[in-house]
Amino acid sequence: MANSGEEKLKLYSYWRSSCAHRVRIALALKGLDYEYIPVNLLKGDQFDSVYRFDLQDFKKINPMGTVPALVDGDVVINDSFAIIMYLDEKYPEPPLLPRDLHKRAVNYQAMSIVLSGIQPHQNLAVIRYIEEKINVEEKTAWVNNAITKGFTALEKLLVNCAGKLATGDEIYLADLFLAPQIHGAINRFQINMEPYPNLAKCYESYKELPVFQNALPEKQPDAPSSTN
């Protein structure tokens, strides 16, 4: 493992969180060993952890009460993008950004579309609020609109540079954000991928790579047994 001899990294994660999912891919790609500490968002572990010794200080680790959170010795990082870039700078091989400046910009754009244009609109707190204040149908329409709008933009962005993966045949930053988002869109929200052939092709490639498969939500230690 790349962090052999150092204090083991700690990842506070929730099996179904797409934000935590993308960090797990980064850790796997870098070959990093880490301690997985589950935070059950549905049960409210992030807010009331008095009965979990390993979570008693979670709000000190992340005052926002969200996952993922990475602890590397005295370093604590809470945002998935910040975690991924921290890991890429500390463990630069394999690199998460291509040398080609255009493809590098495409990676940043793809990341941004997922990070700000799609994922926040399907966040657990947001869809719970919509469901409680309005109705289930409006929640579904809200999520579907965010995903289809984002996927349409991603499809156009990648059309001229996609290979087996998002920006060629190597795993880069865009793939870390796309894989969890597509997986969630298909398995949680039943999005039809037919209008997005480039994204669908990437997703099929992710299925063949252990780095992505081992990071899947259903393979995490806190996933319900029915998903394994």
Side-chain angles (χ1 to χ4, degrees):
M1 293 296 179
N3 56 341
S4 177
E6 299 181 9
E7 183 178 348
K8 184 181 287 189
L9 299 167
K10 294 181 180 180
L11 178 68
Y12 291 83
S13 179
Y14 176 58
W15 70 281
R16 210 174 192 182
S17 164
S18 63
C19 298
H21 186 172
R22 62 181 73 127
V23 171
R24 295 195 300 265
I25 297 171
L27 288 163
L29 183 63
K30 299 293 185 178
L32 298 171
D33 190 20
Y34 63 96
E35 178 184 356
Y36 185 106
I37 302 174
V39 181
N40 192 317
L41 301 183
L42 288 181
K43 292 183 178 180
D45 280 356
Q46 68 275 34
F47 304 121
D48 181 12
S49 55
V50 68
Y51 300 110
R52 287 275 306 277
F53 176 78
D54 56 346
L55 287 179
Q56 285 180 358
D57 294 325
F58 184 64
K59 289 301 289 289
K60 293 180 182 178
I61 293 171
N62 185 1
M64 287 292 288
T66 58
V67 296
L70 182 78
V71 177
D72 182 12
D74 295 330
V75 176
V76 179
I77 311 171
N78 295 310
D79 175 80
S80 64
F81 178 55
I83 292 171
I84 289 169
M85 297 312 293
Y86 171 83
L87 294 173
D88 195 42
E89 292 184 7
K90 185 171 182 179
Y91 307 100
E93 294 297 332
L96 288 178
L97 289 167
R99 289 183 176 273
D100 182 89
L101 289 180
H102 175 229
K103 288 188 176 182
R104 182 174 291 220
V106 170
N107 273 269
Y108 280 128
Q109 290 177 79
M111 173 277 299
S112 182
I113 290 171
V114 174
L115 187 65
S116 61
I118 305 177
Q119 190 277 326
H121 299 284
Q122 65 179 52
N123 182 278
L124 178 62
V126 172
I127 60 178
R128 270 183 170 176
Y129 183 86
I130 295 173
E131 186 173 4
E132 291 172 1
K133 297 296 182 180
I134 308 176
N135 54 53
V136 175
E137 290 75 17
E138 186 61 30
K139 177 199 74 173
T140 301
W142 172 272
V143 173
N144 286 351
N145 178 67
I147 294 176
T148 54
K149 182 180 179 181
F151 278 11
T152 299
L154 287 165
E155 185 69 19
K156 292 180 179 179
L157 176 67
L158 302 179
V159 67
N160 292 322
C161 59
K164 293 180 180 178
L165 303 174
T167 55
D169 295 337
E170 302 295 329
I171 301 171
Y172 288 125
L173 182 68
D175 300 299
L176 273 60
F177 282 76
L178 287 176
Q181 184 57 62
I182 299 172
H183 182 272
I186 294 172
N187 294 282
R188 291 183 63 190
F189 304 113
Q190 291 74 55
I191 297 294
N192 175 22
M193 294 301 295
E194 188 173 350
Y196 319 110
N198 283 309
L199 298 184
K201 180 177 65 173
C202 289
Y203 188 61
E204 290 304 311
S205 296
Y206 300 147
K207 290 181 180 180
E208 300 175 359
L209 298 171
V211 163
F212 292 95
Q213 291 304 295
N214 293 336
L216 286 172
E218 56 268 27
K219 294 189 178 181
Q220 303 316 302
D222 56 330
S225 58
S226 59
T227 67
N228 294 324

PDB file of all heavy atoms in Angstrom, residues 82-107:
ATOM      1  N   ALA A  82     -11.977  18.275  -2.095  1.00  0.00           N
ATOM      2  CA  ALA A  82     -10.754  18.627  -1.366  1.00  0.00           C
ATOM      3  C   ALA A  82      -9.991  17.381  -0.943  1.00  0.00           C
ATOM      4  O   ALA A  82      -8.754  17.332  -1.029  1.00  0.00           O
ATOM      5  CB  ALA A  82     -11.099  19.476  -0.142  1.00  0.00           C
ATOM      6  N   ILE A  83     -10.715  16.353  -0.514  1.00  0.00           N
ATOM      7  CA  ILE A  83     -10.066  15.090  -0.120  1.00  0.00           C
ATOM      8  C   ILE A  83      -9.345  14.481  -1.311  1.00  0.00           C
ATOM      9  O   ILE A  83      -8.187  14.063  -1.220  1.00  0.00           O
ATOM     10  CB  ILE A  83     -11.099  14.096   0.444  1.00  0.00           C
ATOM     11  CG1 ILE A  83     -11.651  14.589   1.785  1.00  0.00           C
ATOM     12  CG2 ILE A  83     -10.476  12.711   0.616  1.00  0.00           C
ATOM     13  CD1 ILE A  83     -12.817  13.775   2.301  1.00  0.00           C
ATOM     14  N   ILE A  84     -10.028  14.417  -2.433  1.00  0.00           N
ATOM     15  CA  ILE A  84      -9.453  13.789  -3.624  1.00  0.00           C
ATOM     16  C   ILE A  84      -8.212  14.536  -4.095  1.00  0.00           C
ATOM     17  O   ILE A  84      -7.190  13.928  -4.430  1.00  0.00           O
ATOM     18  CB  ILE A  84     -10.515  13.715  -4.747  1.00  0.00           C
ATOM     19  CG1 ILE A  84     -11.581  12.670  -4.372  1.00  0.00           C
ATOM     20  CG2 ILE A  84      -9.875  13.368  -6.090  1.00  0.00           C
ATOM     21  CD1 ILE A  84     -12.803  12.692  -5.266  1.00  0.00           C
ATOM     22  N   MET A  85      -8.264  15.854  -4.107  1.00  0.00           N
ATOM     23  CA  MET A  85      -7.105  16.628  -4.555  1.00  0.00           C
ATOM     24  C   MET A  85      -5.961  16.533  -3.546  1.00  0.00           C
ATOM     25  O   MET A  85      -4.782  16.511  -3.930  1.00  0.00           O
ATOM     26  CB  MET A  85      -7.495  18.082  -4.807  1.00  0.00           C
ATOM     27  CG  MET A  85      -8.526  18.259  -5.915  1.00  0.00           C
ATOM     28  SD  MET A  85      -8.145  17.333  -7.438  1.00  0.00           S
ATOM     29  CE  MET A  85      -6.663  18.188  -7.983  1.00  0.00           C
ATOM     30  N   TYR A  86      -6.287  16.459  -2.272  1.00  0.00           N
ATOM     31  CA  TYR A  86      -5.260  16.262  -1.236  1.00  0.00           C
ATOM     32  C   TYR A  86      -4.546  14.928  -1.462  1.00  0.00           C
ATOM     33  O   TYR A  86      -3.306  14.859  -1.428  1.00  0.00           O
ATOM     34  CB  TYR A  86      -5.924  16.287   0.138  1.00  0.00           C
ATOM     35  CG  TYR A  86      -5.027  15.879   1.292  1.00  0.00           C
ATOM     36  CD1 TYR A  86      -4.150  16.794   1.880  1.00  0.00           C
ATOM     37  CD2 TYR A  86      -5.054  14.582   1.807  1.00  0.00           C
ATOM     38  CE1 TYR A  86      -3.334  16.422   2.943  1.00  0.00           C
ATOM     39  CE2 TYR A  86      -4.248  14.206   2.867  1.00  0.00           C
ATOM     40  CZ  TYR A  86      -3.390  15.128   3.434  1.00  0.00           C
ATOM     41  OH  TYR A  86      -2.580  14.758   4.488  1.00  0.00           O
ATOM     42  N   LEU A  87      -5.319  13.881  -1.709  1.00  0.00           N
ATOM     43  CA  LEU A  87      -4.723  12.567  -1.951  1.00  0.00           C
ATOM     44  C   LEU A  87      -3.877  12.576  -3.218  1.00  0.00           C
ATOM     45  O   LEU A  87      -2.809  11.953  -3.273  1.00  0.00           O
ATOM     46  CB  LEU A  87      -5.820  11.506  -2.059  1.00  0.00           C
ATOM     47  CG  LEU A  87      -6.620  11.222  -0.784  1.00  0.00           C
ATOM     48  CD1 LEU A  87      -7.784  10.277  -1.083  1.00  0.00           C
ATOM     49  CD2 LEU A  87      -5.721  10.624   0.297  1.00  0.00           C
ATOM     50  N   ASP A  88      -4.344  13.297  -4.240  1.00  0.00           N
ATOM     51  CA  ASP A  88      -3.605  13.323  -5.495  1.00  0.00           C
ATOM     52  C   ASP A  88      -2.281  14.058  -5.344  1.00  0.00           C
ATOM     53  O   ASP A  88      -1.282  13.701  -5.983  1.00  0.00           O
ATOM     54  CB  ASP A  88      -4.449  13.988  -6.586  1.00  0.00           C
ATOM     55  CG  ASP A  88      -3.898  13.715  -7.980  1.00  0.00           C
ATOM     56  OD1 ASP A  88      -3.490  12.567  -8.243  1.00  0.00           O
ATOM     57  OD2 ASP A  88      -3.857  14.650  -8.795  1.00  0.00           O
ATOM     58  N   GLU A  89      -2.246  15.068  -4.516  1.00  0.00           N
ATOM     59  CA  GLU A  89      -1.003  15.803  -4.314  1.00  0.00           C
ATOM     60  C   GLU A  89      -0.048  15.052  -3.381  1.00  0.00           C
ATOM     61  O   GLU A  89       1.176  15.087  -3.574  1.00  0.00           O
ATOM     62  CB  GLU A  89      -1.313  17.201  -3.760  1.00  0.00           C
ATOM     63  CG  GLU A  89      -2.024  18.074  -4.785  1.00  0.00           C
ATOM     64  CD  GLU A  89      -2.260  19.483  -4.284  1.00  0.00           C
ATOM     65  OE1 GLU A  89      -1.770  19.828  -3.197  1.00  0.00           O
ATOM     66  OE2 GLU A  89      -2.953  20.245  -4.986  1.00  0.00           O
ATOM     67  N   LYS A  90      -0.598  14.373  -2.395  1.00  0.00           N
ATOM     68  CA  LYS A  90       0.259  13.633  -1.476  1.00  0.00           C
ATOM     69  C   LYS A  90       0.744  12.329  -2.094  1.00  0.00           C
ATOM     70  O   LYS A  90       1.876  11.891  -1.850  1.00  0.00           O
ATOM     71  CB  LYS A  90      -0.486  13.357  -0.173  1.00  0.00           C
ATOM     72  CG  LYS A  90       0.395  12.689   0.890  1.00  0.00           C
ATOM     73  CD  LYS A  90      -0.289  12.616   2.248  1.00  0.00           C
ATOM     74  CE  LYS A  90       0.653  11.988   3.282  1.00  0.00           C
ATOM     75  NZ  LYS A  90       0.033  11.927   4.638  1.00  0.00           N
ATOM     76  N   TYR A  91      -0.103  11.709  -2.895  1.00  0.00           N
ATOM     77  CA  TYR A  91       0.235  10.444  -3.552  1.00  0.00           C
ATOM     78  C   TYR A  91       0.018  10.633  -5.054  1.00  0.00           C
ATOM     79  O   TYR A  91      -1.036  10.270  -5.587  1.00  0.00           O
ATOM     80  CB  TYR A  91      -0.639   9.305  -3.012  1.00  0.00           C
ATOM     81  CG  TYR A  91      -0.615   9.176  -1.509  1.00  0.00           C
ATOM     82  CD1 TYR A  91      -1.650   9.702  -0.727  1.00  0.00           C
ATOM     83  CD2 TYR A  91       0.442   8.532  -0.853  1.00  0.00           C
ATOM     84  CE1 TYR A  91      -1.628   9.588   0.660  1.00  0.00           C
ATOM     85  CE2 TYR A  91       0.470   8.417   0.530  1.00  0.00           C
ATOM     86  CZ  TYR A  91      -0.566   8.952   1.279  1.00  0.00           C
ATOM     87  OH  TYR A  91      -0.540   8.834   2.648  1.00  0.00           O
ATOM     88  N   PRO A  92       0.963  11.205  -5.762  1.00  0.00           N
ATOM     89  CA  PRO A  92       0.745  11.659  -7.142  1.00  0.00           C
ATOM     90  C   PRO A  92       0.640  10.562  -8.202  1.00  0.00           C
ATOM     91  O   PRO A  92       0.342  10.875  -9.359  1.00  0.00           O
ATOM     92  CB  PRO A  92       1.967  12.546  -7.415  1.00  0.00           C
ATOM     93  CG  PRO A  92       3.011  12.075  -6.463  1.00  0.00           C
ATOM     94  CD  PRO A  92       2.287  11.616  -5.237  1.00  0.00           C
ATOM     95  N   GLU A  93       0.881   9.328  -7.832  1.00  0.00           N
ATOM     96  CA  GLU A  93       0.772   8.249  -8.832  1.00  0.00           C
ATOM     97  C   GLU A  93      -0.338   7.269  -8.454  1.00  0.00           C
ATOM     98  O   GLU A  93      -0.410   6.839  -7.305  1.00  0.00           O
ATOM     99  CB  GLU A  93       2.104   7.498  -8.940  1.00  0.00           C
ATOM    100  CG  GLU A  93       3.245   8.346  -9.492  1.00  0.00           C
ATOM    101  CD  GLU A  93       3.017   8.825 -10.899  1.00  0.00           C
ATOM    102  OE1 GLU A  93       2.300   8.132 -11.654  1.00  0.00           O
ATOM    103  OE2 GLU A  93       3.533   9.890 -11.256  1.00  0.00           O
ATOM    104  N   PRO A  94      -1.177   6.920  -9.418  1.00  0.00           N
ATOM    105  CA  PRO A  94      -1.296   7.519 -10.744  1.00  0.00           C
ATOM    106  C   PRO A  94      -1.979   8.883 -10.665  1.00  0.00           C
ATOM    107  O   PRO A  94      -2.817   9.097  -9.783  1.00  0.00           O
ATOM    108  CB  PRO A  94      -2.156   6.511 -11.500  1.00  0.00           C
ATOM    109  CG  PRO A  94      -3.010   5.883 -10.438  1.00  0.00           C
ATOM    110  CD  PRO A  94      -2.144   5.815  -9.214  1.00  0.00           C
ATOM    111  N   PRO A  95      -1.631   9.792 -11.563  1.00  0.00           N
ATOM    112  CA  PRO A  95      -2.191  11.149 -11.508  1.00  0.00           C
ATOM    113  C   PRO A  95      -3.678  11.165 -11.859  1.00  0.00           C
ATOM    114  O   PRO A  95      -4.144  10.372 -12.683  1.00  0.00           O
ATOM    115  CB  PRO A  95      -1.372  11.908 -12.549  1.00  0.00           C
ATOM    116  CG  PRO A  95      -0.926  10.857 -13.516  1.00  0.00           C
ATOM    117  CD  PRO A  95      -0.701   9.620 -12.685  1.00  0.00           C
ATOM    118  N   LEU A  96      -4.406  12.078 -11.253  1.00  0.00           N
ATOM    119  CA  LEU A  96      -5.845  12.191 -11.503  1.00  0.00           C
ATOM    120  C   LEU A  96      -6.181  13.231 -12.563  1.00  0.00           C
ATOM    121  O   LEU A  96      -7.347  13.393 -12.910  1.00  0.00           O
ATOM    122  CB  LEU A  96      -6.579  12.544 -10.203  1.00  0.00           C
ATOM    123  CG  LEU A  96      -6.670  11.408  -9.181  1.00  0.00           C
ATOM    124  CD1 LEU A  96      -7.379  11.882  -7.918  1.00  0.00           C
ATOM    125  CD2 LEU A  96      -7.401  10.215  -9.777  1.00  0.00           C
ATOM    126  N   LEU A  97      -5.165  13.918 -13.073  1.00  0.00           N
ATOM    127  CA  LEU A  97      -5.392  14.896 -14.130  1.00  0.00           C
ATOM    128  C   LEU A  97      -4.425  14.634 -15.278  1.00  0.00           C
ATOM    129  O   LEU A  97      -3.238  14.386 -15.055  1.00  0.00           O
ATOM    130  CB  LEU A  97      -5.201  16.315 -13.609  1.00  0.00           C
ATOM    131  CG  LEU A  97      -6.288  16.812 -12.652  1.00  0.00           C
ATOM    132  CD1 LEU A  97      -5.848  18.095 -11.959  1.00  0.00           C
ATOM    133  CD2 LEU A  97      -7.610  17.024 -13.380  1.00  0.00           C
ATOM    134  N   PRO A  98      -4.916  14.672 -16.517  1.00  0.00           N
ATOM    135  CA  PRO A  98      -4.038  14.445 -17.679  1.00  0.00           C
ATOM    136  C   PRO A  98      -3.123  15.640 -17.911  1.00  0.00           C
ATOM    137  O   PRO A  98      -3.385  16.750 -17.445  1.00  0.00           O
ATOM    138  CB  PRO A  98      -5.029  14.277 -18.833  1.00  0.00           C
ATOM    139  CG  PRO A  98      -6.223  15.055 -18.400  1.00  0.00           C
ATOM    140  CD  PRO A  98      -6.309  14.920 -16.913  1.00  0.00           C
ATOM    141  N   ARG A  99      -2.037  15.435 -18.644  1.00  0.00           N
ATOM    142  CA  ARG A  99      -1.130  16.523 -18.983  1.00  0.00           C
ATOM    143  C   ARG A  99      -1.755  17.488 -19.988  1.00  0.00           C
ATOM    144  O   ARG A  99      -1.526  18.688 -19.929  1.00  0.00           O
ATOM    145  CB  ARG A  99       0.173  15.953 -19.558  1.00  0.00           C
ATOM    146  CG  ARG A  99       1.050  15.248 -18.523  1.00  0.00           C
ATOM    147  CD  ARG A  99       2.348  14.778 -19.157  1.00  0.00           C
ATOM    148  NE  ARG A  99       3.247  14.189 -18.169  1.00  0.00           N
ATOM    149  CZ  ARG A  99       4.110  14.891 -17.453  1.00  0.00           C
ATOM    150  NH1 ARG A  99       4.187  16.202 -17.623  1.00  0.00           N
ATOM    151  NH2 ARG A  99       4.898  14.299 -16.583  1.00  0.00           N
ATOM    152  N   ASP A 100      -2.545  16.943 -20.905  1.00  0.00           N
ATOM    153  CA  ASP A 100      -3.180  17.769 -21.931  1.00  0.00           C
ATOM    154  C   ASP A 100      -4.112  18.792 -21.274  1.00  0.00           C
ATOM    155  O   ASP A 100      -5.019  18.434 -20.518  1.00  0.00           O
ATOM    156  CB  ASP A 100      -3.982  16.876 -22.882  1.00  0.00           C
ATOM    157  CG  ASP A 100      -4.636  17.658 -23.994  1.00  0.00           C
ATOM    158  OD1 ASP A 100      -4.012  17.850 -25.027  1.00  0.00           O
ATOM    159  OD2 ASP A 100      -5.798  18.090 -23.787  1.00  0.00           O
ATOM    160  N   LEU A 101      -3.881  20.077 -21.550  1.00  0.00           N
ATOM    161  CA  LEU A 101      -4.615  21.133 -20.866  1.00  0.00           C
ATOM    162  C   LEU A 101      -6.108  21.122 -21.196  1.00  0.00           C
ATOM    163  O   LEU A 101      -6.946  21.411 -20.338  1.00  0.00           O
ATOM    164  CB  LEU A 101      -4.016  22.500 -21.203  1.00  0.00           C
ATOM    165  CG  LEU A 101      -2.639  22.791 -20.593  1.00  0.00           C
ATOM    166  CD1 LEU A 101      -2.170  24.188 -21.008  1.00  0.00           C
ATOM    167  CD2 LEU A 101      -2.684  22.674 -19.072  1.00  0.00           C
ATOM    168  N   HIS A 102      -6.449  20.801 -22.432  1.00  0.00           N
ATOM    169  CA  HIS A 102      -7.861  20.746 -22.794  1.00  0.00           C
ATOM    170  C   HIS A 102      -8.567  19.637 -22.034  1.00  0.00           C
ATOM    171  O   HIS A 102      -9.638  19.846 -21.447  1.00  0.00           O
ATOM    172  CB  HIS A 102      -8.031  20.548 -24.301  1.00  0.00           C
ATOM    173  CG  HIS A 102      -9.463  20.369 -24.711  1.00  0.00           C
ATOM    174  ND1 HIS A 102      -9.870  19.343 -25.535  1.00  0.00           N
ATOM    175  CD2 HIS A 102     -10.593  21.057 -24.375  1.00  0.00           C
ATOM    176  CE1 HIS A 102     -11.180  19.409 -25.710  1.00  0.00           C
ATOM    177  NE2 HIS A 102     -11.632  20.436 -25.025  1.00  0.00           N
ATOM    178  N   LYS A 103      -7.960  18.449 -22.033  1.00  0.00           N
ATOM    179  CA  LYS A 103      -8.581  17.338 -21.316  1.00  0.00           C
ATOM    180  C   LYS A 103      -8.619  17.601 -19.808  1.00  0.00           C
ATOM    181  O   LYS A 103      -9.545  17.182 -19.114  1.00  0.00           O
ATOM    182  CB  LYS A 103      -7.838  16.033 -21.608  1.00  0.00           C
ATOM    183  CG  LYS A 103      -8.079  15.511 -23.015  1.00  0.00           C
ATOM    184  CD  LYS A 103      -7.498  14.129 -23.198  1.00  0.00           C
ATOM    185  CE  LYS A 103      -7.836  13.574 -24.585  1.00  0.00           C
ATOM    186  NZ  LYS A 103      -7.311  12.191 -24.769  1.00  0.00           N
ATOM    187  N   ARG A 104      -7.622  18.302 -19.324  1.00  0.00           N
ATOM    188  CA  ARG A 104      -7.620  18.657 -17.905  1.00  0.00           C
ATOM    189  C   ARG A 104      -8.815  19.567 -17.606  1.00  0.00           C
ATOM    190  O   ARG A 104      -9.514  19.384 -16.605  1.00  0.00           O
ATOM    191  CB  ARG A 104      -6.315  19.359 -17.547  1.00  0.00           C
ATOM    192  CG  ARG A 104      -6.186  19.724 -16.082  1.00  0.00           C
ATOM    193  CD  ARG A 104      -4.807  20.276 -15.779  1.00  0.00           C
ATOM    194  NE  ARG A 104      -3.770  19.245 -15.871  1.00  0.00           N
ATOM    195  CZ  ARG A 104      -2.754  19.139 -15.026  1.00  0.00           C
ATOM    196  NH1 ARG A 104      -2.625  19.999 -14.030  1.00  0.00           N
ATOM    197  NH2 ARG A 104      -1.859  18.189 -15.174  1.00  0.00           N
ATOM    198  N   ALA A 105      -9.057  20.531 -18.491  1.00  0.00           N
ATOM    199  CA  ALA A 105     -10.197  21.428 -18.307  1.00  0.00           C
ATOM    200  C   ALA A 105     -11.512  20.671 -18.384  1.00  0.00           C
ATOM    201  O   ALA A 105     -12.464  20.962 -17.641  1.00  0.00           O
ATOM    202  CB  ALA A 105     -10.162  22.541 -19.348  1.00  0.00           C
ATOM    203  N   VAL A 106     -11.585  19.690 -19.276  1.00  0.00           N
ATOM    204  CA  VAL A 106     -12.796  18.873 -19.387  1.00  0.00           C
ATOM    205  C   VAL A 106     -13.034  18.105 -18.091  1.00  0.00           C
ATOM    206  O   VAL A 106     -14.177  17.984 -17.623  1.00  0.00           O
ATOM    207  CB  VAL A 106     -12.694  17.912 -20.591  1.00  0.00           C
ATOM    208  CG1 VAL A 106     -13.829  16.890 -20.566  1.00  0.00           C
ATOM    209  CG2 VAL A 106     -12.717  18.686 -21.898  1.00  0.00           C
ATOM    210  N   ASN A 107     -11.971  17.587 -17.498  1.00  0.00           N
ATOM    211  CA  ASN A 107     -12.103  16.885 -16.221  1.00  0.00           C
ATOM    212  C   ASN A 107     -12.668  17.799 -15.145  1.00  0.00           C
ATOM    213  O   ASN A 107     -13.547  17.409 -14.377  1.00  0.00           O
ATOM    214  CB  ASN A 107     -10.748  16.324 -15.786  1.00  0.00           C
ATOM    215  CG  ASN A 107     -10.465  14.957 -16.350  1.00  0.00           C
ATOM    216  OD1 ASN A 107     -10.778  13.947 -15.753  1.00  0.00           O
ATOM    217  ND2 ASN A 107      -9.882  14.922 -17.542  1.00  0.00           N
TER     218      ASN A 107
END
